[in-house]
Every structure is written in C-alpha cells, then in structure tokens.
Amino acid sequence: MILAEDWEDYELIDASNGEKLERWKNIYLLRPDPQIIWNNGNLKSKYTNINSYYHRSNKGGGYWENLKSTPPSWQVKYKDLIFNIKQMGFKHTGLFPEQAVNWDFMMNKIEKANRKIKVLNLFAYTGGATVACLKKKASVVHVDSSRGIVEWAKENVKANGLEKEDVRYIVDDVVKFVKREIRRGNKYDAIVMDPPSYGRGANKEVWDIEKDLYNLVELTMELLSENPLFFIINSYTTGLSKEVFTNILKLTIGKKYKGNIYSMEIGIPLKNNNLILPCGICSRFESYE
C-alpha cells in the first residue's frame, strides 16, 4: 500500500463507525466512509471542533449540517498545488486527497521525461491530475461528462495560475470522445482515468465498470503514442481486487508496450492512532524512461 502522507493542509484525524473526521486547512468535516467498519468511539461526541457534519439519508444521499461557521468554498494546498474545496451533495468536497500519490508520480515522470508530454485525463472530475500535469508544462485534454464539474476544474487551474497553459476542456461521454479521437488520429503520451463504478454520460449513456472497463482500456490504448510515458487507472469500486486491474493492463497495454505494470492500494494514515484508511486502488503502466 502507498500512503498519501505529505499533506500539510489536509489531515485524517480519526475514523469510527462508518465516519471520518478530517481537517481541510482550518475546516473540520465529519462525513461517511463505507470502509470504516471498526468502532473507535462516537466521533461527534469525542470532538468539539467539527465545522460541518454530513447526515446520510436512508433514501440515498443526505445533507450537510453546519455546526460552526463554514465558508461556501475555501482553498487547500498540496505542496505547490492549490485546490478549491466545497461541500457537495453526497458527502463530497471536490477533491480526493489520497490522489496526491498519483500527482507526485505524474509530475515526477513528466519532469524526468525531458520532452513535451501530451496527457489525456478521462473522467477527469475537478482536475487534480490536470493541475499536476500542467504544473510540469505538459499539455492536457480534460474530459468529463458534467459541465459543472468541468467548470470547477477550470477554477482549480486558474487558482494555480495555469489558465494560459496548453489545456483543453471537453464535456462529453468518455467512450464517445475516445472513439472520435481515434478517428481523428490524435495520440497521447500519457493517459489517466478515474472511472466510476456506475454512471451516466452527457446524453444518459450508462457506464458499468465491470462490463465496460476492459473495452474502454482496449479502445483507449489506440490513442497512445509510440513511446507512452504512463497509463493510470484509479478505482474506488469495492469488491474488485487490485489484480483485476493489473490483468487488464497486462492484456492490453502490456502486449504492445514495454514497461512496468503494477497495482496497489492507496491509503491515508490517521493522525490520532496508528490506523490506515484504505482509499481505493491505483493501477499503472509506466515506461522504463
């Protein structure tokens, strides 16, 4: 397991009974996490500094209760990267802090490549990977089916002063976009994707990771340049082993390109004890470059 432990503006304070207490700069949020099936006390009773608490609904979703003054948005930094944080529906904040391990990986690979790198970011969300790659002067095509989320990504890019860098934003279904890029003959040196377990595209296209991921990876590899730098799949789908993603990359990317293929769990250490919260799987192909 690789740990996201280089944060200063983010901390995972404690976790118990399906909930986690986090510090996002100076704002403390208590929100659900299905991985936390252990009992370490009632967090709402243990801590008095909670700004906002997310209540789950039995009917799905839920709502935020602001226990103390909480701004509508604020910023956090990871090293020299800046991100805008907001309280979203369904418990989210617009950033997955564990992905810092991938931002570091991508920035390091791009910097060492010593050549212009063209990156395709699929299911790109609010642009954590986009910001990281732009920071190292890569060009980025950012694709997500949600217009509102893409606007948020633009805000993050602007917050980093990177809006004049070579970035293009696409609001579209990922599969349809990839097929168009293949027809156009476009190529990319690096591809990163963060597919949901289930989802719908811009025109209500249905996505199911168990049925559709292999075909998407097989399709997307047609966009890779002759000398690809990396290919990353992130997943938060419970029930799928990391070896599943390793196998997919071996049967697709690995048959055509030489490089390392491996998968690992990502985790975040808890501040107030010696526990680690698992936060999904990262699977990578990386060139020997």
Side-chain angles (χ1 to χ4, degrees):
M1 177 178 283
I2 186 171
L3 301 181
E5 52 188 353
D6 292 335
W7 279 91
E8 292 185 5
D9 276 2
Y10 173 85
E11 281 184 313
L12 179 55
I13 307 295
D14 205 348
S16 179
N17 293 322
E19 296 179 327
K20 58 186 177 184
L21 177 64
E22 305 162 293
R23 177 181 65 83
W24 297 81
K25 199 170 184 178
N26 59 344
I27 303 297
Y28 290 80
L29 303 180
L30 182 60
R31 57 186 182 133
D33 191 304
Q35 294 277 9
I36 305 166
I37 63 173
W38 58 86
N39 182 356
N40 191 28
N42 186 308
L43 300 185
K44 196 173 180 182
S45 299
K46 285 173 67 176
Y47 297 93
T48 60
N49 57 348
I50 301 169
N51 290 82
S52 192
Y53 173 55
Y54 188 86
H55 293 267
R56 288 169 292 188
S57 168
N58 293 331
K59 299 179 180 179
Y63 65 94
W64 289 97
E65 177 189 4
N66 289 335
L67 306 175
K68 294 184 177 181
S69 178
T70 307
S73 66
W74 67 100
Q75 292 183 334
V76 299
K77 290 185 68 177
Y78 176 74
K79 298 180 178 178
D80 58 351
L81 307 180
I82 300 171
F83 301 103
N84 294 289
I85 304 301
K86 306 173 188 178
Q87 292 171 289
M88 298 174 64
F90 198 65
K91 76 181 182 181
H92 294 302
T93 62
L95 193 69
F96 293 91
E98 62 273 10
Q99 287 302 317
V101 299
N102 278 323
W103 306 334
D104 286 337
F105 169 82
M106 290 183 283
M107 289 190 290
N108 182 58
K109 292 290 289 186
I110 292 169
E111 187 172 44
K112 288 184 176 180
N114 197 29
R115 58 186 171 100
K116 185 66 175 180
I117 299 299
K118 187 176 180 182
V119 179
L120 177 60
N121 188 7
L122 300 174
F123 305 100
Y125 197 49
T126 59
T130 296
V131 169
C133 293
L134 289 174
K135 200 75 173 179
K136 294 301 179 180
K137 303 300 181 181
S139 64
V140 181
V141 175
H142 176 110
V143 186
D144 197 279
S145 64
S146 169
R147 186 171 300 278
I149 290 297
V150 170
E151 290 302 315
W152 194 336
K154 291 179 181 179
E155 294 175 13
N156 282 335
V157 169
K158 187 175 182 179
N160 287 272
L162 299 170
E163 64 270 26
K164 293 184 179 180
E165 297 296 328
D166 187 2
V167 56
R168 186 158 63 103
Y169 304 95
I170 306 294
V171 180
D172 200 357
D173 174 72
V174 162
V175 175
K176 288 183 176 180
F177 175 79
V178 168
K179 288 179 178 178
R180 285 204 312 274
E181 288 292 89
I182 292 171
R183 292 195 296 268
R184 292 167 178 156
N186 288 332
K187 297 292 183 180
Y188 296 86
D189 304 297
I191 297 175
V192 56
M193 61 173 66
D194 198 346
S197 300
Y198 301 96
R200 292 187 179 274
N203 295 308
K204 308 301 181 183
E205 302 89 347
V206 177
W207 166 267
D208 182 335
I209 193 170
E210 294 184 9
K211 296 178 181 178
D212 300 324
L213 180 61
Y214 180 87
N215 291 335
L216 176 61
V217 174
E218 190 174 47
L219 190 68
T220 305
M221 70 175 285
E222 295 185 42
L223 295 177
L224 287 172
S225 63
E226 292 183 1
N227 186 23
L229 192 62
F230 58 78
F231 193 111
I232 300 174
I233 305 172
N234 293 302
S235 175
Y236 295 90
T237 303
T238 55
L240 293 181
S241 165
K242 64 185 179 67
E243 294 307 316
V244 169
F245 300 96
T246 300
N247 292 343
I248 289 174
L249 288 183
K250 285 181 176 179
L251 289 170
T252 54
I253 314 296
K255 284 190 172 182
K256 185 176 180 181
Y257 300 98
K258 293 182 179 181
N260 293 319
I261 291 175
Y262 55 95
S263 300
M264 55 197 167
E265 283 191 276
I266 301 175
I268 301 178
L270 276 70
K271 177 186 177 182
N272 285 358
N273 49 52
N274 61 353
L275 304 181
I276 294 172
L277 177 64
C279 300
I281 293 168
C282 168
S283 189
R284 296 173 181 165
F285 161 88
E286 63 170 310
S287 69
Y288 294 129
E289 184 175 333

